[in-house]
Amino acid sequence: MIVYHGTTSKFDHFDLTHLGEGEGKSKFGVGHYASTVYATAALYAGKCNGHTKYVYTLDIPDLTDSNHIVSAKPPHKAIIEKAEAQIGQIPDEAKSSGKYFRKYIGNLLLGNKGTVKKMIGSLSTEGEIKVSKFLYEIGVLYLVWAQSQACPDNGQINVAILDDNIIKIKKIEIVELDEKGKYVNGSNQLVK
């Protein structure tokens, strides 16, 4: 699968130890953020003014039922079974969406206790890191969400990639953005 990663940093391989050095948010989980939409990656590269903006074209393994969790959909049965084998029964409400599933497990791994509503409500960065490691250990490679919330089923997605070793950098381009931060078509300069 081809995806794109936008940044102001130039590097030759991805390294999870550098997480948080970019925009620093982990709203959809901790991992290397990428998109199937080039312009979305360019937008993220443009979040830092005055820096060279790069878009990396990445080749990653295809999505399978058991290697990803979609934020707005229930996790695949195989993922739930692997998680429950490690941590015990997970409440149905926490299994109703990937987002709730991730937050519930992260809070559980932190030792937090409370109602299911509390456990699926929010998760600290420390919890996001713990749950990403846990999910990777049970075979999850990606956290996935729709690129457009207005058109969630159009096939365009964003992913948080949980494993450095599955990312192959195909090319790196310098991109130009207009004064509003939008990608200017055809202005790419190939770096790699």
Side-chain angles (χ1 to χ4, degrees), residues 60-129:
I60 59 175
D62 289 337
L63 300 178
T64 66
D65 288 341
S66 61
N67 77 357
H68 73 285
I69 293 173
V70 179
S71 184
K73 296 181 179 178
H76 189 270
K77 181 181 175 183
I79 295 171
I80 292 170
E81 288 172 357
K82 288 178 186 176
E84 289 182 332
Q86 297 288 322
I87 61 173
Q89 185 68 34
I90 298 171
D92 288 342
E93 189 176 354
K95 295 186 278 193
S96 68
S97 77
K99 175 174 77 173
Y100 292 163
F101 186 73
R102 188 185 86 239
K103 289 181 178 185
Y104 182 87
I105 293 171
N107 277 309
L108 198 63
L109 293 172
L110 287 174
N112 294 336
K113 297 187 188 312
T115 63
V116 174
K117 185 174 181 176
K118 179 181 176 187
M119 296 287 279
I120 64 174
S122 64
L123 184 60
S124 68
T125 300
E126 179 187 4
E128 291 286 7
I129 292 167

Side-chain angles (χ1 to χ4, degrees), residues 18 20 22 24 32 37 41 51 55 72 87 123 126-127 138 149 164 167 170 179 183 185 187 192:
H18 293 286
H32 300 294
V37 180
H51 292 69
V55 171
I87 61 173
L123 184 60
E126 179 187 4
I138 64 168
Q149 300 304 317
D164 299 331
I167 303 171
K170 301 301 273 182
E179 63 278 351
Y183 167 64
N185 218 359
S187 64
K192 175 185 173 188

